[in-house]
Amino acid sequence: MRGDYQQLVDEISAALGAPATLEDRDFGLIAFGAHESDDEVMDPVRTRSILQRRSSAAVRAWFEAFGIARAKTALRIPPDPAAGVFKGRICLPVRHRGIVHGYVWLLDDGHLTDLELGGRGAPPDPRIAQAMETASRIGALLADEARAGSELGELLRELLDAPAAGRPAAAAALRDALRDSLRFTPGVPLTVVAVLPWDTSDTDTAPLPGLPGLLAACALPAGGGPEGVPPADGTRAAPPGTGGGGRSGATDRPRPAAAVPSLAALVRLRSPGALAPAHAVAEHLLRSPRAGASPAGASARGGPAGGGAGQPAPLGPGAAGIGAGTSELTALPATWREALDAARAVRAEPRLGPVTQWDAIGAYRMLTTLPKAAPDPVIGPLLTPAHAELARTAEVFLDCAGQASRTAQVLGIHRQTLYYRLGRVEKLTGLDLGDGEHRLLLHMALKAARL
């Protein structure tokens, strides 16, 4: 199907004599025509879109300010060198049955300036009319793909949310759908990527499976899950005997619900231990405008921001986790829980991310399985804003295995200052930092408080 898009984009480029680019409604690149101009200066926004296969959230907001999401006919976007838009553009909204599914962009180096776009009673130039007809065909293809992707996403959601007794049937339904639509071969290694938070305010539609290895994706609400799964605050404990941090006991323990909406993405691997495709998918999804609590890279003035041409767009404020590979669809709920644990660990410990694997989060493999509870009363005073510096000092000291010289170096303070702060920590908490059990309690409590 991607080849069909390329052919249609080439048709538009040939009809209007201008390089065309097709992006989905989230500004993810689908296809682009060759740029045959001899101009020495390339348009940075188009270059970044092609090299990174996605425009930044700021670029999206800047173009949407011209009303492209509401447009039903072609419209013209003026150049703005200060915003990195060196050339004007003609935008062809890609619609199907009234719903916008994407945009075709045509660079205008001046030869399209006098082209009549239509509207307000004036008929469009025949070339524009032909291009809009082609855009409608693209819209029909994107709608079909969105429908198929939505069905796969719903089946994935049903499997991830299914209680243990319902997983075989849910796995069989997903397997059949993947085989019919994507020629999926059972037994192929898979994993799940979790991205959180995932913005579903404008739409609950997950990204289409257009990335290499991405088979299906679904958005999950905060704390969503089947009967028996704890709510977002995690107040319900795991039932006895379900296991904790080890994978062997992960299958039946309640899913550690995210306190924010999240995205689950099913990714095909080359082998169970080769997670590079999952990392690539995770990094791409984190650049989506829906990843994180707010768009990444938005400039104060509303112009397109981000790295220069050829530089990766900045990752959003979200986090992504990757579960262990598996060849069994019925094991995907456990893999999803691992991915969600890893993403939660990244949000608690940014040094782990923005993308990490479940097997790389260390002590958080255990901490993320614990039910959420109030902090231990002993360290309560240390968690107040007034004592944030002391809490940071204590945690770094324990991270450094109690080595004063290393701790002072990491914190950039004198050793006497460190000893003074540690003394205050002991006085506030009543703990003895020379006692192993006291150290363990303080260390785990500080880590758990981040979650």
Side-chain angles (χ1 to χ4, degrees):
M1 187 171 285
R2 296 283 150 169
D4 296 334
Y5 294 134
Q6 186 63 59
Q7 180 179 348
L8 293 171
V9 167
D10 290 342
E11 284 183 18
I12 294 176
S13 294
L16 292 168
T21 303
L22 171 62
E23 295 179 329
D24 63 26
R25 62 185 175 190
D26 282 337
F27 283 55
L29 181 67
I30 297 175
F32 62 93
H35 189 118
E36 299 178 354
S37 172
D38 294 330
D39 292 347
E40 293 183 1
V41 179
M42 290 287 291
D43 186 278
V45 169
R46 184 173 193 265
T47 301
R48 189 182 304 121
S49 172
I50 292 173
L51 292 178
Q52 305 302 326
R53 306 199 68 79
R54 179 177 293 279
S55 295
S56 70
V59 167
R60 173 187 178 182
W62 191 83
F63 280 114
E64 285 182 341
F66 289 91
I68 61 173
R70 302 183 302 275
K72 298 181 180 179
T73 59
L75 70 162
R76 204 179 299 275
I77 308 292
D80 185 353
V85 183
F86 286 7
K87 295 180 183 292
R89 284 162 168 73
I90 291 177
C91 175
L92 309 179
V94 176
R95 289 180 171 272
H96 181 69
R97 296 181 178 176
I99 298 175
V100 63
H101 289 277
Y103 308 98
V104 173
W105 302 96
L106 293 153
L107 285 185
D108 181 11
D109 57 5
H111 74 290
L112 301 178
T113 303
D114 297 329
L115 205 62
E116 179 58 57
L117 302 186
R120 297 183 179 179
D125 184 283
R127 291 172 292 173
I128 288 292
Q130 178 184 347
M132 285 299 296
E133 190 277 331
T134 304
S136 295
R137 289 157 59 194
I138 294 174
L141 288 175
L142 285 173
D144 288 343
E145 190 172 339
R147 193 158 39 248
S150 178
E151 292 172 357
L152 289 172
E154 184 59 35
L155 290 171
L156 176 62
R157 181 188 291 110
E158 290 178 2
L159 173 58
L160 299 183
D161 278 349
R167 287 173 198 158
L174 178 60
R175 180 192 62 233
D176 292 344
L178 288 171
R179 183 181 57 211
D180 293 343
S181 59
L182 299 177
R183 298 180 181 178
F184 172 76
T185 302
V188 169
L190 303 166
T191 191
V192 179
V193 172
V195 179
L196 59 87
W198 188 257
D199 182 13
T200 59
S201 59
D202 58 343
T203 174
D204 60 358
T205 303
L208 299 176
L211 299 174
L214 178 57
L215 300 178
C218 64
L220 293 160
E227 184 178 356
V229 173
D233 63 5
T235 53
R236 293 178 58 181
T242 56
R247 186 170 174 82
S248 61
T251 301
D252 296 319
R253 70 175 172 85
R255 175 167 62 84
V260 293
S262 55
L263 181 81
L266 180 63
V267 181
R268 178 169 44 204
L269 306 174
R270 297 181 183 89
S271 64
L275 298 177
H279 279 272
V281 167
E283 290 172 2
H284 188 98
L285 291 173
L286 282 177
R287 294 188 179 100
S288 168
R290 302 183 198 177
S294 61
S299 68
R301 296 182 177 271
Q311 297 298 317
L315 295 182
I322 301 171
T326 179
S327 297
E328 299 295 332
L329 287 174
T330 52
L332 289 180
T335 301
W336 160 243
R337 289 191 287 270
E338 292 174 352
L340 193 58
D341 286 348
R344 293 174 64 216
V346 169
R347 296 193 78 199
E349 197 78 67
R351 64 178 176 81
L352 295 172
V355 181
T356 194
Q357 301 172 195
W358 178 80
D359 59 6
I361 61 175
Y364 283 101
R365 290 202 297 270
M366 178 188 71
L367 292 173
T368 52
T369 68
L370 300 177
K372 186 174 178 61
D376 189 284
V378 171
I379 71 155
L382 204 56
L383 299 179
T384 62
H387 297 129
E389 184 178 70
L390 294 181
R392 163 74 173 156
T393 298
E395 187 170 1
V396 172
F397 175 71
L398 295 168
D399 286 344
C400 292
Q403 297 181 27
S405 58
R406 281 180 57 200
T407 306
Q409 184 177 11
V410 171
L411 293 174
I413 59 177
H414 194 275
R415 289 180 64 170
Q416 291 302 319
T417 302
L418 171 63
Y419 294 139
Y420 170 74
R421 291 183 184 176
L422 294 178
R424 290 192 62 197
V425 169
E426 290 184 321
K427 185 174 181 180
L428 272 173
T429 63
L431 297 175
D432 178 4
L433 293 182
D435 183 287
E437 288 192 5
H438 288 196
R439 283 193 183 190
L440 178 61
L441 171 61
L442 179 59
H443 205 184
M444 291 297 97
L446 288 172
K447 296 291 186 188
R450 294 177 178 273
L451 295 169

PDB file of all heavy atoms in Angstrom, residues 51 100 121 220 224 233 285 389 427:
ATOM      1  N   LEU A  51      14.163  13.661   6.337  1.00  0.00           N
ATOM      2  CA  LEU A  51      15.247  12.956   7.038  1.00  0.00           C
ATOM      3  C   LEU A  51      14.755  12.294   8.317  1.00  0.00           C
ATOM      4  O   LEU A  51      15.200  11.194   8.668  1.00  0.00           O
ATOM      5  CB  LEU A  51      16.383  13.924   7.349  1.00  0.00           C
ATOM      6  CG  LEU A  51      17.171  14.462   6.141  1.00  0.00           C
ATOM      7  CD1 LEU A  51      18.238  15.443   6.602  1.00  0.00           C
ATOM      8  CD2 LEU A  51      17.797  13.321   5.354  1.00  0.00           C
ATOM      9  N   VAL A 100     -10.397  14.493   7.639  1.00  0.00           N
ATOM     10  CA  VAL A 100      -9.049  14.728   7.140  1.00  0.00           C
ATOM     11  C   VAL A 100      -8.126  13.617   7.621  1.00  0.00           C
ATOM     12  O   VAL A 100      -8.108  13.286   8.805  1.00  0.00           O
ATOM     13  CB  VAL A 100      -8.522  16.112   7.577  1.00  0.00           C
ATOM     14  CG1 VAL A 100      -8.408  16.227   9.088  1.00  0.00           C
ATOM     15  CG2 VAL A 100      -7.181  16.411   6.925  1.00  0.00           C
ATOM     16  N   GLY A 121     -16.470  30.829  -5.092  1.00  0.00           N
ATOM     17  CA  GLY A 121     -17.160  30.885  -6.368  1.00  0.00           C
ATOM     18  C   GLY A 121     -16.274  30.751  -7.584  1.00  0.00           C
ATOM     19  O   GLY A 121     -16.775  30.582  -8.704  1.00  0.00           O
ATOM     20  N   LEU A 220      -4.518   3.292  25.748  1.00  0.00           N
ATOM     21  CA  LEU A 220      -5.165   2.749  26.941  1.00  0.00           C
ATOM     22  C   LEU A 220      -5.395   3.882  27.930  1.00  0.00           C
ATOM     23  O   LEU A 220      -4.489   4.679  28.193  1.00  0.00           O
ATOM     24  CB  LEU A 220      -4.292   1.667  27.576  1.00  0.00           C
ATOM     25  CG  LEU A 220      -4.150   0.406  26.716  1.00  0.00           C
ATOM     26  CD1 LEU A 220      -2.926  -0.384  27.131  1.00  0.00           C
ATOM     27  CD2 LEU A 220      -5.385  -0.457  26.854  1.00  0.00           C
ATOM     28  N   GLY A 224      -6.907   1.965  33.049  1.00  0.00           N
ATOM     29  CA  GLY A 224      -7.823   1.052  32.380  1.00  0.00           C
ATOM     30  C   GLY A 224      -7.383  -0.384  32.544  1.00  0.00           C
ATOM     31  O   GLY A 224      -6.214  -0.696  32.669  1.00  0.00           O
ATOM     32  N   ASP A 233      -4.401   4.387  40.943  1.00  0.00           N
ATOM     33  CA  ASP A 233      -3.604   4.678  42.139  1.00  0.00           C
ATOM     34  C   ASP A 233      -2.913   3.440  42.689  1.00  0.00           C
ATOM     35  O   ASP A 233      -2.147   3.522  43.643  1.00  0.00           O
ATOM     36  CB  ASP A 233      -4.481   5.333  43.214  1.00  0.00           C
ATOM     37  CG  ASP A 233      -5.598   4.407  43.703  1.00  0.00           C
ATOM     38  OD1 ASP A 233      -5.631   3.230  43.281  1.00  0.00           O
ATOM     39  OD2 ASP A 233      -6.421   4.871  44.509  1.00  0.00           O
ATOM     40  N   LEU A 285       7.833   7.197  18.118  1.00  0.00           N
ATOM     41  CA  LEU A 285       6.583   7.539  18.786  1.00  0.00           C
ATOM     42  C   LEU A 285       6.768   8.681  19.777  1.00  0.00           C
ATOM     43  O   LEU A 285       5.866   9.504  19.964  1.00  0.00           O
ATOM     44  CB  LEU A 285       6.027   6.307  19.500  1.00  0.00           C
ATOM     45  CG  LEU A 285       5.510   5.189  18.594  1.00  0.00           C
ATOM     46  CD1 LEU A 285       5.150   3.956  19.422  1.00  0.00           C
ATOM     47  CD2 LEU A 285       4.305   5.652  17.787  1.00  0.00           C
ATOM     48  N   GLU A 389      16.763  19.152  48.831  1.00  0.00           N
ATOM     49  CA  GLU A 389      18.220  19.039  48.674  1.00  0.00           C
ATOM     50  C   GLU A 389      18.773  17.911  49.547  1.00  0.00           C
ATOM     51  O   GLU A 389      19.672  17.167  49.123  1.00  0.00           O
ATOM     52  CB  GLU A 389      18.882  20.361  49.042  1.00  0.00           C
ATOM     53  CG  GLU A 389      20.383  20.382  48.810  1.00  0.00           C
ATOM     54  CD  GLU A 389      20.993  21.731  49.132  1.00  0.00           C
ATOM     55  OE1 GLU A 389      21.042  22.065  50.339  1.00  0.00           O
ATOM     56  OE2 GLU A 389      21.389  22.448  48.196  1.00  0.00           O
ATOM     57  N   LYS A 427      19.138  13.152  61.528  1.00  0.00           N
ATOM     58  CA  LYS A 427      18.372  13.824  62.583  1.00  0.00           C
ATOM     59  C   LYS A 427      16.897  13.908  62.209  1.00  0.00           C
ATOM     60  O   LYS A 427      16.015  13.714  63.054  1.00  0.00           O
ATOM     61  CB  LYS A 427      18.943  15.225  62.820  1.00  0.00           C
ATOM     62  CG  LYS A 427      18.304  15.963  63.986  1.00  0.00           C
ATOM     63  CD  LYS A 427      19.006  17.287  64.256  1.00  0.00           C
ATOM     64  CE  LYS A 427      18.383  18.004  65.445  1.00  0.00           C
ATOM     65  NZ  LYS A 427      19.068  19.298  65.723  1.00  0.00           N
TER      66      LYS A 427
END
